[in-house]
C-alpha cells in the first residue's frame, strides 16, 4: 500500500514539476475559429506544443484586435497575419516571418452566372463588394490595374461579410474566402464564376505565422520549437481531417459551422497549403519580393525591405530542419554519392572534380547541411546497380522522379523536368510517327528501362538498340537513324560535340521526365532533409543552374558558315552602295554639265531676245516718227495748197 502512495505522490510531483517547466506563450488569430487555424488546435490538443515545453494559448480575433501591434508590443507571443505584414516590416515594424501556411491566397472574387459577367471587362458598371482599403485588397487592385480596369467605373458596395448579399443581388461581385462562401453557393446549387488574382499573375501568400524580432532575439529556441510544433500540427490536421473537424465542432466552433462545411473548408485549404509544393509553411524570398513590388507599385510602401532579416528561414540552413534531422546531420557528417559515366550535363567529370546540374544542386544542399560528399563513379550500368544493391552509396545523383525502377532508392523532389526527344542527322526529313520508320534503327542508353517501355508503348514497331554510352557519332555517320533520350542530355551533347550536324527531329509523346536524387530507402531522414533543402533553394537560383548548362560554350566545333554568309551579304551590300554612289556621282556631273550648257544657252537666247527687243523698239520708234512726219506733212499740205491756190488765183487775175 505504501508503495502505491509513494508512486502516486511521485507521479503527481513529476506532473506538477513538468507543468512548471512549460513556458506560457500565446498566438493571436486574425479571424474567428474555423478550420483555417486547425493546425494550431491539433498542435495544442495532440501535445506537440507541450512536447517542446510550451503551454500555448490560442486567442480568437475580435474587431478591437490589431494582430501585428499585439505581437510587437509583447501582448501576444506569436500571431497569424495577412501579407500586409510585409508592409509593416517595410515601414520599420520588426516582425519576423516564420512560415506561410497557405502558399496561395484563398481570397477571390465571386459573381453569379446570372449577372452576365463573363470577363473582367464586364465588371464595368457593376456593383462590387471588397475591402475598402488598398492595403487589404492589393491583389485585386493589381489585377484591375494590369487589365486596365478602373474601380471608379464600378459601384462600390459596403462590405457585409455575408454571401447572401450576392445571392440577393445586393451586389454583383463579392470578395470571398474560397473555402467558405463557395460552399454555400454549391449547397444552394447556384451557378457562379470565380475570379482568382493568381490566374492573372498576382499570387500572394496567406496566413503568415510570425513573431517579433525581440522574441526571436530573446528566445530563439522557443521560436524554433513553436514553429516546428505548429507545422507538425498542420500536417496532422490535413492527414486526419475527420478527427480535426470533430475537435473543432466540440471545442472551437464559435461560428456554428456544420460538419459538412468544415470538411469542405479543410479539403480546399489543404490544396492551398500544398499548392505547387509538398513542404508545409514554405517561404520563397523571390515570392515575398514580388508581393512587396505589388505594394510598391500601388504606392503603399516607400522604404526598402531587408528580406534576410524579415524571413526567419531564409537560407539559414538548420532553421528548416527538425530536431531529429539536425541530430541526424550531426551524427552523419558525410554522404557517399553514386554517379554514372556519360550523364552530361547531369553529372560531368573534370579531372578529379565533378560538376553538372545534379552536382550544382547537391552543392546547394551541402551548404545548408554542412555534409561532406564522397563520390563513386561507375563506368557501366552493371557496376552502378551493384553498388546500389550493396548499399555502398547513400544516394545517387540522378534517378527518375516517377517510375523509379530501383527498389532500394526513394526519389526526392525533382530538380529538373525534361522531355523525351529523338535526335537525327540535320538533313533527315521530319516525321512525327516513328512507326513509319520500322526499318530504321534507333539507339537508347542501356539501363533506361522505363524510357524504353514508354517509347515501345507509343511505337510498338520501333527498332531500338541499347548502348552503354550516349554516343551521337554513330548518328552523324549514318550507322543509326537516331538517338532517343531526354532533351536536356541530347541537346547538351549536340552543342558540345556535333554542332550543325544533328538536330532534334521530334518530341516523343507528352511525357515529362523528372530528374531527382535517389536516396537509400533506409535513410528516411536524409530523404526529408534533401526535400526540404531543394524546396528552400530560391527559384531564381534553380533557373540559373539549369540555364548554365543550356547555354554552354561550344569548344570542339566552330561553324563559320553563318559568319561567311554575313560577310558575303555585307560585301554585296557595300558593293551595291559603292556602285550606286559612283552612278550618282556621274549623274550629278552630267546634270551639272547640262546645267552649265543650259545656262550658256539661256544667256545666249536672252541676249538674242534682248537684241530683237531693241530692234523692234527702234523699228517701232521709226514707225512712230514716220507716222508723225506723215501727219505733219498732211497738216502742212492744206495751208500750202490753200496758199498755192491763192497764188495761182492771184497770178490769173
Amino acid at each position: 500500500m505504501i508503495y502505491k502512495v509513494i508512486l502516486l505522490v511521485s507521479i503527481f510531483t513529476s506532473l506538477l514539476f513538468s507543468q512548471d517547466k512549460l513556458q506560457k506563450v500565446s498566438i493571436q488569430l486574425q479571424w474567428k475559429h474555423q478550420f483555417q487555424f486547425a493546425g494550431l488546435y491539433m498542435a495544442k490538443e495532440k501535445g506537440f506544443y507541450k512536447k517542446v515545453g510550451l503551454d500555448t494559448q490560442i486567442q480568437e480575433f475580435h474587431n478591437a484586435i490589431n494582430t501585428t501591434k499585439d505581437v510587437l508590443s509583447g501582448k501576444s507571443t506569436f500571431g497569424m497575419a495577412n501579407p500586409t505584414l510585409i508592409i509593416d516590416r517595410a515601414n520599420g515594424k520588426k516582425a519576423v516571418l516564420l512560415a506561410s501556411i497557405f502558399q496561395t491566397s484563398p481570397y477571390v472574387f465571386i459573381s453569379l452566372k446570372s449577372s452576365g459577367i463573363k470577363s473582367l471587362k464586364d465588371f464595368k458598371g457593376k456593383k462590387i463588394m471588397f475591402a475598402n482599403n488598398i492595403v487589404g485588397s492589393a491583389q485585386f487592385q493589381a489585377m484591375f490595374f494590369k487589365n486596365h480596369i478602373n474601380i471608379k467605373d464600378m459601384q462600390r458596395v459596403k462590405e457585409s461579410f455575408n454571401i447572401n448579399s450576392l445571392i440577393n443581388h445586393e451586389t454583383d461581385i463579392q470578395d470571398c474566402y474560397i473555402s467558405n462562401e463557395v460552399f454555400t453557393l454549391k449547397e444552394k446549387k447556384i451557378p457562379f464564376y470565380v475570379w482568382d488574382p493568381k490566374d492573372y499573375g498576382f499570387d500572394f501568400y496567406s496566413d503568415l505565422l510570425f513573431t517579433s524580432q525581440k522574441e526571436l532575439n530573446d528566445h530563439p529556441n522557443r521560436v524554433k520549437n513553436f514553429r516546428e510544433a505548429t507545422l507538425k500540427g498542420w500536417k496532422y490536421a490535413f492527414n486526419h481531417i475527420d478527427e480535426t473537424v470533430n475537435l473543432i465542432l466540440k471545442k472551437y466552433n464559435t461560428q456554428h459551422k456544420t460538419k459538412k462545411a468544415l470538411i469542405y473548408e479543410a479539403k480546399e485549404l489543404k490544396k492551398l497549403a500544398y499548392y505547387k509544393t509538398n513542404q508545409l509553411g514554405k517561404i520563397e524570398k523571390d515570392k515575398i519580393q514580388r508581393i512587396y513590388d505589388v505594394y510598391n507599385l500601388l504606392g503603399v510602401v516607400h522604404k526598402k525591405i531587408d528580406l534576410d532579416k524579415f524571413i526567419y528561414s531564409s537560407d539559414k540552413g538548420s532553421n528548416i530542419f527538425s530536431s531529429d534531422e539536425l541530430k541526424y546531420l550531426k551524427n552523419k557528417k558525410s554522404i557517399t554519392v553514386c554517379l554514372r559515366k556519360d550523364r552530361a550535363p547531369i553529372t560531368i567529370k573534370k579531372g578529379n572534380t565533378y560538376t553538372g546540374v545534379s552536382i550544382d544542386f547537391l552543392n546547394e544542399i551541402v551548404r545548408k547541411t554542412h555534409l561532406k560528399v564522397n563520390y563513386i563513379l561507375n563506368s557501366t550500368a552493371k557496376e552502378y546497380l551493384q553498388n546500389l544493391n550493396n548499399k555502398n552509396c547513400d544516394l545517387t545523383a540522378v534517378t527518375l522522379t516517377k517510375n523509379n525502377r530501383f527498389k532500394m532508392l526513394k526519389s526526392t523532389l525533382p530538380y529538373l523536368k525534361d522531355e523525351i526527344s529523338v535526335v537525327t542527322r540535320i538533313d533527315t526529313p521530319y516525321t512525327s510517327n516513328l512507326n513509319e520508320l520500322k526499318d530504321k534503327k534507333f539507339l537508347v542508353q542501356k539501363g533506361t528501362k522505363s524510357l524504353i517501355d514508354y517509347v515501345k508503348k507509343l511505337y510498338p514497331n520501333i527498332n531500338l538498340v541499347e548502348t552503354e554510352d550516349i554516343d551521337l557519332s554513330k548518328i552523324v555517320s549514318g550507322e543509326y537513324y537516331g538517338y532517343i533520350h531526354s532533351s536536356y542530355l541530347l541537346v547538351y551533347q549536340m552543342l558540345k560535340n556535333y554542332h550543325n550536324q544533328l538536330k532534334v527531329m521530334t518530341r516523343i509523346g507528352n511525357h515529362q521526365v523528372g530528374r531527382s536524387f535517389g536516396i537509400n530507402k533506409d535513410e528516411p531522414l536524409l530523404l526529408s532533409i534533401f526535400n526540404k533543402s531543394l524546396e528552400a533553394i530560391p527559384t531564381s537560383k534553380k533557373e540559373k543552374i539549369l540555364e548554365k548548362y543550356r547555354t554552354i560554350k561550344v569548344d570542339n566545333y566552330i561553324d563559320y558558315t553563318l559568319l561567311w554568309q554575313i560577310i558575303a551579304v555585307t560585301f554585296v551590300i557595300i558593293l551595291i552602295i559603292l556602285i550606286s554612289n559612283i552612278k550618282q556621282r556621274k549623274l550629278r556631273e552630267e546634270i551639272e554639265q547640262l546645267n552649265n550648257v543650259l545656262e550658256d544657252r539661256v544667256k545666249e537666247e536672252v541676249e538674242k531676245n534682248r537684241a530683237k527687243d531693241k530692234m523692234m523698239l527702234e523699228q517701232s520708234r521709226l514707225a512712230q516718227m514716220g507716222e508723225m512726219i506723215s501727219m505733219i506733212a498732211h497738216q502742212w499740205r492744206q495751208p500750202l495748197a490753200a496758199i498755192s491756190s491763192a497764188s495761182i488765183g492771184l497770178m490769173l487775175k
Side-chain angles (χ1 to χ4, degrees), residues 595-612:
N595 285 339
N596 292 334
V597 171
L598 286 173
E599 189 176 350
D600 292 340
R601 290 188 64 183
V602 168
K603 286 181 180 179
E604 185 181 338
E605 290 298 322
V606 169
E607 291 297 326
K608 286 181 180 180
N609 288 335
R610 284 180 178 174
K612 285 180 182 179

Side-chain angles (χ1 to χ4, degrees), residues 308-477:
D308 288 331
K309 290 183 179 179
F310 178 47
I311 303 171
Y312 171 73
S313 60
S314 176
D315 204 23
K316 295 177 184 176
S318 61
N319 283 339
I320 64 174
F321 303 128
S322 68
S323 55
D324 289 340
E325 289 163 350
L326 289 173
K327 186 177 179 181
Y328 172 87
L329 290 172
K330 186 178 180 180
N331 295 328
K332 186 70 176 172
K333 294 181 181 178
S334 68
I335 52 174
T336 303
V337 182
C338 268
L339 305 177
R340 276 199 65 179
K341 189 182 174 185
D342 292 319
R343 283 297 178 98
I346 307 299
T347 54
I348 305 168
K349 188 175 189 297
K350 287 187 175 181
N352 294 324
T353 61
Y354 296 94
T355 184
V357 177
S358 65
I359 306 302
D360 284 6
F361 275 102
L362 184 60
N363 289 337
E364 290 295 317
I365 294 169
V366 166
R367 271 192 281 273
K368 295 178 186 298
T369 59
H370 306 292
L371 289 168
K372 184 181 177 183
V373 182
N374 303 307
Y375 293 105
I376 297 177
L377 182 63
N378 300 272
S379 300
T380 64
K382 184 178 179 181
E383 182 185 352
Y384 178 70
L385 187 60
Q386 188 176 354
N387 273 316
L388 292 178
N389 284 327
N390 293 339
K391 298 183 180 180
N392 294 330
C393 308
D394 295 299
L395 68 142
T396 176
V398 55
T399 191
L400 292 177
T401 307
K402 293 182 179 179
N403 302 319
N404 171 28
R405 69 186 183 90
F406 300 108
K407 294 181 180 179
M408 74 293 291
L409 299 176
K410 293 267 189 183
S411 299
T412 65
L413 295 172
Y415 53 75
L416 169 66
K417 290 184 179 179
D418 203 357
E419 297 170 341
I420 300 172
S421 297
V422 181
V423 163
T424 61
R425 284 167 54 105
I426 200 165
D427 55 356
T428 301
Y430 170 80
T431 180
S432 60
N433 187 2
L434 301 186
N435 280 328
E436 297 173 357
L437 306 172
K438 58 184 177 181
D439 57 329
K440 307 292 185 183
K441 291 189 289 186
F442 292 84
L443 287 176
V444 291
Q445 191 173 26
K446 196 173 183 180
T448 56
K449 187 177 183 302
S450 58
L451 183 148
I452 294 169
D453 291 344
Y454 179 72
V455 173
K456 283 188 174 180
K457 184 179 177 181
L458 290 176
Y459 306 107
N461 299 328
I462 196 167
N463 187 358
L464 298 179
V465 179
E466 295 185 43
T467 180
E468 195 69 51
D469 304 326
I470 302 178
D471 184 4
L472 300 182
S473 64
K474 294 178 181 179
I475 312 302
V476 175
S477 66

Side-chain angles (χ1 to χ4, degrees), residues 557-587:
Y557 178 83
I558 302 176
D559 182 13
Y560 293 103
T561 304
L562 181 61
L563 178 62
W564 285 116
Q565 288 174 346
I566 293 171
I567 292 172
V569 170
T570 305
F571 176 76
V572 170
I573 292 171
I574 293 171
L575 187 62
I576 291 170
I577 293 171
L578 287 173
I579 293 171
S580 177
N581 286 338
I582 292 170
K583 286 184 177 181
Q584 287 180 358
R585 190 184 301 163
K586 286 185 178 180
L587 184 60

Side-chain angles (χ1 to χ4, degrees), residues 121-185:
K121 291 182 180 179
D122 296 333
F123 280 31
K124 186 176 181 181
K126 299 293 184 181
K127 293 177 290 184
I128 189 166
M129 180 190 292
F130 68 103
N132 201 33
N133 61 83
I134 195 169
V135 174
S137 60
Q139 53 196 338
F140 295 131
Q141 303 269 15
M143 180 177 73
F144 289 148
F145 181 81
K146 182 181 178 182
N147 291 276
H148 310 290
I149 295 171
N150 195 331
I151 300 171
K152 293 179 181 179
D153 294 335
M154 294 174 257
Q155 303 173 47
R156 294 293 293 273
V157 178
K158 186 178 179 181
E159 197 155 36
S160 66
F161 303 104
N162 194 325
I163 193 63
N164 287 326
S165 298
L166 186 69
I167 295 171
N168 297 331
H169 303 288
E170 295 168 13
T171 182
D172 300 307
I173 308 146
Q174 184 172 339
D175 65 336
C176 296
Y177 215 73
I178 199 166
S179 59
N180 291 341
E181 288 82 0
V182 169
F183 172 77
T184 304
L185 294 175

Side-chain angles (χ1 to χ4, degrees), residues 521-534:
K521 67 177 183 179
D522 296 331
E523 300 278 6
L525 286 174
L526 186 62
L527 176 65
S528 176
I529 288 166
F530 263 65
N531 280 335
K532 286 183 177 180
S533 299
L534 286 169

